[in-house]
Amino acid sequence: MAKNLLIVESPAKAKTIEGYLGKDFTVKSSYGHIRDLVKSEDAIDIANNFQQRYEVPADKKQVVSELKKLAKEAETVWLASDEDREGEAISWHLFDTLNLKEDKTRRIVFHEITKPAILKAIDNPRKIDYNLVNAQQARRVLDRLVGFELSPVLWKKVKPSLSAGRVQSVAVRLIVEREREINKFQTEAAFKIVAIFGKGKNAFKAELPQRFAKQEDAEKFLQDCIGANFTVDSLETRPAKRSPAAPFTTSTLQQEASRKLGYSVSRTMSLAQRLYESGNITYMRTDSVNLSDLALNAAAQEIRSAYGEQYHQQRKYKTKSASAQEAHEAIRPTYFDKHTIDGDNAEKRLYELIWKRAIASQMSEAQFEKTTAKIGISTRNEDLVASGEVMKFDGFLKVYLESNDDEDDNQQDGDNAMLPPLQKGQQLELQELSATERFSRPPARYTEASLVKKLEELGIGRPSTYAPTISTIQNRGYVVKEDRDGKQRNFRVLTLKDGSISKQEKSENTGAERGKLFPTDIGAVVNDFLVQYFNGIVDFNFTASVEKQFDEIAQGLKEWTDMIRKFYAPFHKDVENTIETADKARGERELGVHPENGKKISVRIGRYGPFVQVGDNDDAENKPLYASLRSGQSIETISLEEALELFKLPKKVGLYEEKDMTVAIGKFGPYIRHNSAFYSLPKGLDPLDVSEDQAIEIINEKRKKDAEKLIKVFDEDPEAKILNGRWGPYIEYGKQNIKIPKDKDPNTITFEDLKALAGEAGKEPKKGAKKFTKKK
C-alpha cells in the first residue's frame, strides 16, 4: 500500500496528478462535497450558536467508506481540494468525516495542474485555514436560513412550490427592473445627416454631429445644401494608441466567451473546469488579473519567438476589486508555447480564447494615426465631420481584439476605415446627402454575460456563484432565456442627389432579441412581493455588504456566528409579521370591460400560470371565462385588445373524416385537435389564420411521419411497439423504452423476445450502481 493518500475533488484531476507522482502516492477523488446539511428544518440549531447537522448522502457513502479505509492504511493524507473557500470547506469536511489526525494530515493548494506546481505544493504544505472554512460556513448557513424561511412564505402568499434565495432574488430584481424600464421607455425619433463625398476609391462619409427632431428642419438643411460649396475647414492628424485588456478573471471569461463564442455562463465554466483538470489552464474561479513572474517570463519568451522583440511589452495588472479573494492568478494557459490543445471543438475554442487574451496582455500597444476633417458648408453655419484611422503598428491586435456588448452602436456613419488624401481649403464634390429617421433605443436587456458583469459591478456574488445563480433563476422559472422576433417599423429617408430632394418611406425590423433574459410573470410577482416585505434581502447594498462581511470572515477579521446572529433576528421577525399580515400576491390587473357583455376583464397569476378572466368569481349565474396567456405575453403589458383575442380560441376550422378539427393553444403552443389526437402547428402559423385545407395537410403530414416511425406492433399487446427513434430502433412497452441489442433485427423480434428484453431492463441495478431517489 502507498505511504501517501492524496485526495482531490474530481476524478479527471486525480488521473492527471497521478501521472506526476511516484508509486508512493495513491491519488483518489472525493467527487466534490462528501457531506451536506441535512434536508430537514433542524439542520441549523439557531439557539445553539448556529450549529449545523451534516449527513453523508446515499450516493457518497461508498466513496467515504473507500477513503476511510485508504486513510487508515496511509502514513500521510494530503488534502488537495481547490484553493478557494469552497475547496477549503471540502478539505475540512474530509478531515472531519474521515476522522483524520492532525499530525498525519497535510493541506496543499495549487492553481495549475503541472508537475512543478504539484511538487512545489507538496514541499510547502499547510494546515486547514479555518477562516476560509468559516466564511464558507457563514454563506451556507445564511443562504439555508433565507431559503428555508422565505420559501414557505411564498407558498402561502404567492403560489405553491416557489423558492427564494439571497443572491438569485437580487439577480431576478435586476432583470425585472430592466424589463420595466424598457416597457416605460418612450421612443423619440430624430433625423441623422450623412454626406458622401468623392468617387470610387476616394469616396468617404461625413456626418453632422447634431440631429434634427423635425422632418421640416432636416428638409430645410438639405434644401440649403443645394448648390452649396463644401470645403475642408480643418484637418487634424494625431497619433492614437490602444492597449490590450487584462488576462481573464472568471467574470470576464464568461462575458467574452458569451460574446465571441456564444457560450452560456454554465457551459463556459464546465469547459473551463475540464481544461483545468486536464492541466491546460490555471484555476478558473478567480477575480485576480495578476500573472506570476514565471508566467510573465514564459509569455515574453513565446511572444519574442513567435512574433519578434518589438511585439513584447511586459505589463503587471492590478485587481480593481477590493474584495478580490485570495492571491490567485488570472486565468491563463499553463504552457504559453501551446497555442492549441487536443480535445473537442468547444474546449479548443475556449482554450484558444484564453491563450490569446493572456498572450495579448503582454504585447505592445497597437498604434494608429487618426485623422479628423471638419467640412464647412457655404450656406450653413454647421460643420460636417469625417474621421478615419490608419493602423501604423498592429501590436497586440495581431493576436486578439476584445469584444463589447454594444458593438453595433459603436460604428458611426461618419467613421471611415481611412480617409483619402485631403488638404485644408480643399473643395469637395458632394455625391449624396441624406437625412435618415433614427429612433432612440431603450436600455438593453441582460444577456447571461452582461448580468454577470452587473452583479460584479454591484459587488454581489463571487467567482464561484455567478454560474449557479444564473442557472437557478432559469430553473426556477423566474427568468427565461430566449430569442424574440422584432416588429416592422417604418422610417423616412430624405435624399439630396443631383440637385433635387427625394423622399422615401422604408421599413426595418426592430426589437429582435437573441439569447436575452426576460422575467416571467411569476418572477415579477415574486420580486414585487419580496421588495415590499423583505426589501433588505433584495437590496443591492445589503447583498453587497453581506459579501464584504464574508470576505472579512475569510481574513479572520469577523466572527461568523456574530454576523449571522445580527442578520437572523430582524429577518425572522419580518417572516413572522409577513405571514400574519400580508395579502396574497397575484399581480392582478384590470384591463377594462368586455365590449359585448360589459363584464370586467382582468389578468393575474394562477396556480398554473398567468391567465385572463372575463367576469367575477362571485357571479353565481354566469361562471367566468378563462384563457391562458400566450408565449411572449405578460400580465404587465397585455392590452384589452390582446386579451379579447385569446377568447377567439378554441375555434372549429372544418370537418375531416366526419370529425371536427379544432384549433387551440395549450401548454406547449398552438395545436389542432382531431378525433382525440393533437397536432402541433408549424412555427410562424397564426392559430387564428388556420384554414380547413391547412389543418388537413398538418394532420396528414403528422400521420405520415408517425407511420414511418412505426416498425412493428404485436397482436398479443397492441400497446407494445417497435419504433424508429432518434438513435435507432427501440421498444416501447408500458412505461419502458428499451434499447434493442445491435445483433438483433427489429423486424424479427417476437413478443417473447420483447418480454425477455423488458425483464432484463427492469432488473434492480447491480450493487454499487447509482440509485436515483425522489427529492423530499
Side-chain angles (χ1 to χ4, degrees):
M1 182 63 210
K3 294 179 185 177
N4 299 278
L5 170 65
L6 189 143
I7 306 173
V8 293
E9 288 179 34
S10 78
K13 197 190 294 186
K15 193 176 178 184
T16 309
I17 292 171
E18 202 159 39
Y20 298 142
L21 300 172
K23 62 182 187 309
D24 286 343
F25 278 83
T26 297
V27 184
K28 289 290 176 183
S29 166
S30 70
Y31 295 84
H33 277 282
I34 56 159
R35 67 178 186 181
D36 197 4
L37 290 171
V38 297
K39 298 286 187 273
S40 55
E41 289 184 13
D42 60 349
I44 297 159
D45 189 347
I46 292 156
N48 192 19
N49 221 22
F50 303 100
Q51 284 289 315
Q52 303 110 60
R53 281 184 60 221
Y54 287 100
E55 66 180 355
V56 176
D59 63 340
K60 288 295 177 76
K61 283 185 176 170
Q62 192 175 338
V63 173
V64 170
S65 176
E66 184 190 5
L67 291 176
K68 270 186 178 176
K69 181 176 176 291
L70 293 171
K72 272 185 184 177
E73 294 169 358
E75 290 178 17
T76 307
V77 178
W78 303 79
L79 302 175
S81 51
D82 291 342
E83 59 169 338
D84 55 12
R85 294 174 198 166
E86 200 76 21
E88 204 69 24
I90 287 173
S91 279
W92 169 67
H93 283 301
L94 284 165
F95 182 84
D96 202 46
T97 310
L98 304 180
N99 302 314
L100 302 180
K101 302 288 183 288
E102 198 147 323
D103 60 343
K104 60 175 279 187
T105 306
R106 307 282 184 272
R107 168 78 172 118
I108 59 169
V109 294
F110 40 83
H111 67 272
E112 62 182 44
I113 302 176
T114 60
K115 190 170 183 177
I118 304 300
L119 296 177
K120 186 181 176 184
I122 286 172
D123 288 340
N124 297 279
R126 62 168 172 82
K127 294 186 184 300
I128 291 170
D129 185 337
Y130 283 94
N131 290 330
L132 294 181
V133 173
N134 289 339
Q136 195 272 343
Q137 293 281 87
R139 177 188 288 279
R140 188 79 184 87
V141 167
L142 190 143
D143 287 349
R144 170 60 73 91
L145 290 172
V146 169
F148 258 58
E149 297 218 0
L150 264 190
S151 298
V153 179
L154 295 177
W155 302 341
K156 289 174 184 173
K157 301 298 181 180
V158 184
K159 186 172 170 264
S161 305
L162 295 176
S163 58
R166 186 180 53 85
V167 177
Q168 70 231 23
S169 295
V170 174
V172 173
R173 182 178 184 179
L174 284 168
I175 294 164
V176 169
E177 290 184 353
R178 176 58 56 86
E179 192 68 21
R180 287 173 179 163
E181 278 182 72
I182 293 166
N183 291 337
K184 287 177 186 172
F185 185 79
Q186 297 292 318
T187 300
E188 293 178 356
F191 285 82
K192 181 167 78 170
I193 307 291
V194 176
I196 300 175
F197 294 104
K199 290 181 180 176
K201 290 181 180 178
N202 288 328
F204 67 95
K205 290 180 179 180
E207 186 180 332
L208 190 70
Q210 62 266 45
R211 298 190 179 191
F212 294 110
K214 295 178 182 175
Q215 181 177 333
E216 307 87 78
D217 295 336
E219 195 170 349
K220 175 74 166 59
F221 181 89
L222 265 59
Q223 287 281 1
D224 290 347
C225 289
I226 296 174
N229 294 320
F230 297 89
T231 311
V232 178
D233 283 352
S234 71
L235 202 60
E236 182 189 356
T237 301
R238 57 185 174 82
K241 292 179 180 179
R242 195 179 297 170
S243 297
F248 282 130
T249 61
T250 304
S251 162
T252 54
L253 175 64
Q254 289 168 351
Q255 291 167 50
E256 194 73 340
S258 171
R259 290 186 292 241
K260 272 193 158 63
L261 308 178
Y263 293 169
S264 69
V265 166
S266 59
R267 189 178 187 208
T268 297
M269 292 313 291
S270 172
L271 291 169
Q273 179 92 30
R274 278 158 36 195
L275 291 174
Y276 168 63
E277 288 174 353
S278 56
N280 286 311
I281 63 167
T282 54
Y283 192 54
M284 65 287 152
R285 282 193 278 274
T286 175
D287 43 18
S288 169
V289 289
N290 177 51
L291 292 178
S292 67
D293 290 340
L294 188 72
L296 292 172
N297 292 334
Q301 189 176 337
E302 184 55 30
I303 291 164
R304 291 185 187 118
S305 165
Y307 307 110
E309 180 67 47
Q310 73 273 29
Y311 280 93
H312 176 246
Q313 182 181 334
Q314 190 179 94
R315 286 184 184 78
K316 291 193 176 182
Y317 295 89
K318 288 188 178 177
T319 305
K320 291 176 185 175
S321 169
S323 62
Q325 283 182 31
E326 300 93 34
H328 296 166
E329 268 195 271
I331 303 168
R332 63 163 175 85
T334 315
Y335 304 104
F336 279 95
D337 59 354
K338 200 173 176 182
H339 293 216
T340 188
I341 56 156
D342 296 327
D344 66 31
N345 191 47
E347 286 176 37
K348 282 182 178 178
R349 292 178 74 202
L350 189 66
Y351 175 82
E352 284 163 15
L353 187 70
I354 292 166
W355 183 89
K356 286 176 179 178
R357 176 83 163 220
I359 274 283
S361 76
Q362 299 304 307
M363 291 178 73
S364 307
E365 294 169 324
Q367 295 174 12
F368 300 87
E369 189 175 81
K370 192 172 175 75
T371 302
T372 304
K374 286 189 177 178
I375 299 161
I377 309 163
S378 61
T379 54
R380 300 280 301 196
N381 294 326
E382 302 95 335
D383 285 331
L384 296 164
V385 178
S387 59
E389 201 171 59
V390 178
M391 186 187 289
K392 294 294 185 183
F393 176 63
D394 54 2
F396 76 93
L397 292 177
K398 195 171 193 74
V399 173
Y400 177 82
L401 173 63
E402 184 183 23
S403 304
N404 67 61
D405 290 316
D406 305 305
E407 287 188 331
D408 293 342
D409 297 339
N410 289 343
Q411 183 62 41
Q412 298 296 316
D413 281 303
D415 285 353
N416 304 272
M418 59 184 291
L419 291 173
L422 297 173
Q423 293 178 347
K424 189 176 176 182
Q426 181 180 341
Q427 295 284 313
L428 298 173
E429 183 184 353
L430 178 71
Q431 294 302 316
E432 186 180 289
L433 187 65
S434 63
T436 305
E437 188 176 23
R438 286 286 167 249
F439 300 88
S440 57
R441 292 189 193 179
R445 287 183 175 90
Y446 288 107
T447 60
E448 287 190 358
S450 63
L451 181 61
V452 166
K453 185 179 180 182
K454 184 66 177 177
L455 290 169
E456 187 180 42
E457 283 172 5
L458 292 169
I460 295 165
R462 289 294 178 264
S464 60
T465 64
Y466 301 135
T469 296
I470 286 171
S471 296
T472 300
I473 62 177
Q474 292 178 65
N475 294 339
R476 290 187 174 168
Y478 295 153
V479 169
V480 290
K481 176 184 171 183
E482 61 187 26
D483 301 342
R484 290 195 183 173
D485 297 330
K487 294 178 181 175
Q488 288 299 114
R489 176 174 64 190
N490 293 334
F491 65 98
R492 294 164 288 177
V493 182
L494 313 176
T495 307
L496 166 60
K497 192 168 185 178
D498 299 328
S500 65
I501 297 172
S502 61
K503 297 179 185 179
Q504 280 181 292
E505 189 162 283
K506 297 183 177 180
S507 69
E508 61 186 355
N509 190 44
T510 181
E513 300 283 23
R514 295 289 173 266
K516 294 293 179 69
L517 298 174
F518 296 83
T520 61
D521 285 314
I522 193 65
V525 170
V526 168
N527 173 73
D528 292 349
F529 182 83
L530 293 176
V531 168
Q532 183 177 352
Y533 294 103
F534 297 95
N535 193 46
I537 296 295
V538 289
D539 178 78
F540 304 135
N541 293 329
F542 165 77
T543 312
S545 77
V546 167
E547 298 288 359
K548 194 178 174 190
Q549 289 177 72
F550 291 151
D551 294 336
E552 289 169 354
I553 293 164
Q555 293 158 25
L557 303 173
K558 191 183 276 280
E559 214 287 311
W560 78 270
T561 53
D562 287 346
M563 179 244 174
I564 300 292
R565 197 174 292 107
K566 284 174 185 171
F567 161 81
Y568 181 72
F571 167 69
H572 183 67
K573 195 174 179 183
D574 284 346
V575 168
E576 290 179 327
N577 290 341
T578 304
I579 288 172
E580 283 180 30
T581 61
D583 295 325
K584 201 147 176 119
R586 290 179 174 170
E588 188 164 358
R589 181 172 151 250
E590 281 194 28
L591 302 179
V593 294
H594 199 289
E596 292 172 13
N597 58 31
K599 290 183 178 179
K600 182 180 82 174
I601 298 182
S602 59
V603 59
R604 69 173 184 272
I605 288 282
R607 188 180 184 90
Y608 302 106
F611 67 93
V612 175
Q613 177 175 328
V614 178
D616 288 312
N617 292 329
D618 52 9
D619 187 341
E621 292 181 13
N622 299 299
K623 286 186 177 180
L625 298 173
Y626 305 99
S628 295
L629 268 61
R630 291 189 197 175
S631 174
Q633 290 182 327
S634 158
I635 59 176
E636 293 193 17
T637 57
I638 190 170
S639 65
L640 178 62
E641 292 72 26
E642 288 167 334
L644 290 169
E645 284 285 316
L646 298 175
F647 290 93
K648 290 182 179 177
L649 296 174
K651 81 167 185 179
K652 290 179 184 176
V653 292
L655 283 172
Y656 182 47
E657 298 169 346
E658 299 181 356
K659 296 278 170 62
D660 286 332
M661 295 183 292
T662 305
V663 178
I665 292 181
K667 186 178 180 182
F668 303 106
Y671 63 88
I672 297 164
R673 188 174 71 244
H674 174 258
N675 195 18
S676 302
F678 299 87
Y679 305 86
S680 294
L681 259 59
K683 194 175 179 183
L685 181 59
D686 190 315
L688 292 169
D689 296 338
V690 177
S691 66
E692 186 176 44
D693 289 344
Q694 282 175 313
I696 292 167
E697 188 182 332
I698 290 164
I699 290 167
N700 287 336
E701 208 168 291
K702 175 74 164 52
R703 285 178 179 176
K704 186 183 172 190
K705 279 185 183 175
D706 288 348
E708 289 168 356
K709 187 181 176 184
L710 184 68
I711 296 174
K712 188 173 184 178
V713 290
F714 295 87
D715 295 336
E716 295 91 337
D717 185 349
E719 294 298 310
K721 301 169 189 170
I722 298 179
L723 302 169
N724 215 343
R726 189 175 171 188
W727 289 283
Y730 69 97
I731 295 166
E732 187 184 271
Y733 185 49
K735 292 184 178 179
Q736 286 181 286
N737 286 344
I738 304 152
K739 190 177 178 183
I740 296 173
K742 285 182 181 177
D743 58 348
K744 280 196 179 289
D745 180 354
N747 293 294
T748 62
I749 290 175
T750 64
F751 190 64
E752 285 68 32
D753 294 337
L754 181 148
K755 286 199 293 184
L757 288 168
E760 284 291 321
K763 280 183 182 176
E764 282 292 307
K766 291 177 184 176
K767 194 176 179 184
K770 285 187 180 179
K771 290 183 183 179
F772 295 91
T773 55
K774 285 185 178 179
K775 288 184 179 178
K776 289 180 184 176

